[in-house]
Amino acid sequence: FLQEGSDTTFIHLIAAHLKAGNSSSDAVDRGLAAETVMSYIKNNLEPGYFMMCGDLNLYSASEDAFQELTSSTHGAYRLMDPMSEIGNWNNNSSFADVHTQSTHTSGNCFSGGGLDDRFDFILMSEQMLQDTGNVSYIADSYWAVGQDGNHFNQAINQGGNNSVNSTVLLSLYNMSDHLPVIADFRVKLLPEPDTAE
């Protein structure tokens, strides 16, 4: 058991894969899952450093799930989108630079359609986003790897894409129909507690 003021900072990660599908019942299921996540966070964690990452299958910021996760009614437990790209992401060229699915236009076990959905997220607590403590998000480091903003409704490797080298681009195309999302964080080194008696 670590005591208050110890040299340890806790970062809590919640990995999620919310219900897929574009029906109203699918959206309801995602909303219920988001309520469960927020209830868990509020009942089990102190305000601080936490993130929810994964394939949230959200078509729009107006979905109940996104609204629940980012609601200001949760106070210090509220999750935030470091991209501040709020809107109707589905098949909307205005959000081409944040789409993460699909890397393919067609093909066997991969979802097709080209890049036209923002399904994959890293949401984080305000404390991490606002640089108010020991762990903070590094501004402008959030990125869907391989996303150059120029492949709306196209495969990730169609035509030119210089956002990553050709080996990485081919791997992104072959490994999944989603792009991985990354972000960088700054972690402050805490002094070791004084153990002198």
Side-chain angles (χ1 to χ4, degrees):
F1 179 75
L2 294 170
Q3 295 181 348
E4 181 89 16
S6 69
D7 64 343
T8 301
T9 298
F10 292 95
I11 304 170
H12 301 278
L13 302 175
I14 299 164
H17 188 181
L18 300 186
K19 177 72 172 80
N22 201 11
S23 72
S24 58
S25 65
D26 297 328
V28 166
D29 286 347
R30 289 191 289 272
L32 292 172
E35 286 180 22
T36 301
V37 167
M38 294 311 296
S39 176
Y40 176 85
I41 291 173
K42 292 168 81 172
N43 291 328
N44 294 285
L45 303 177
E46 294 295 322
Y49 312 113
F50 42 90
M51 293 183 279
M52 182 172 176
C53 313
D55 178 1
L56 304 187
N57 281 306
L58 298 172
Y59 289 85
S60 169
S62 64
E63 271 199 42
D64 288 347
F66 190 81
Q67 291 297 307
E68 175 68 21
L69 295 169
T70 61
S71 173
S72 61
T73 61
H74 293 306
Y77 294 96
R78 173 186 186 189
L79 294 169
M80 302 182 81
D81 176 12
M83 293 293 287
S84 297
E85 293 279 353
I86 306 303
N88 179 12
W89 304 299
N90 175 245
N91 206 27
N92 185 340
S93 61
S94 297
F95 295 101
D97 60 335
V98 295
H99 287 151
T100 61
Q101 197 269 347
S102 170
T103 58
H104 295 71
T105 53
S106 63
N108 299 329
C109 65
F110 295 106
S111 293
L115 287 166
D116 60 5
D117 283 302
R118 184 186 186 200
F119 285 166
D120 306 279
F121 291 80
I122 300 173
L123 301 176
M124 61 193 70
S125 62
E126 185 173 13
Q127 191 165 351
M128 295 181 83
L129 190 60
Q130 302 300 328
D131 192 12
T132 59
N134 298 329
V135 181
S136 57
Y137 165 70
I138 297 175
D140 302 321
S141 66
Y142 187 106
W143 180 48
V145 178
Q147 177 53 273
D148 66 353
N150 297 317
H151 286 80
F152 177 66
N153 280 333
Q154 296 178 355
I156 190 71
N157 61 353
Q158 185 175 336
N161 184 337
N162 296 320
S163 64
V164 291
N165 68 49
S166 60
T167 302
V168 172
L169 188 64
L170 183 61
S171 296
L172 290 169
Y173 180 80
N174 286 328
M175 74 160 198
S176 176
D177 50 14
H178 291 254
L179 293 176
V181 177
I182 62 172
D184 294 327
F185 297 87
R186 182 177 296 107
V187 179
K188 291 182 182 175
L189 180 64
L190 300 178
E192 292 189 26
D194 185 9
T195 56
E197 296 194 25

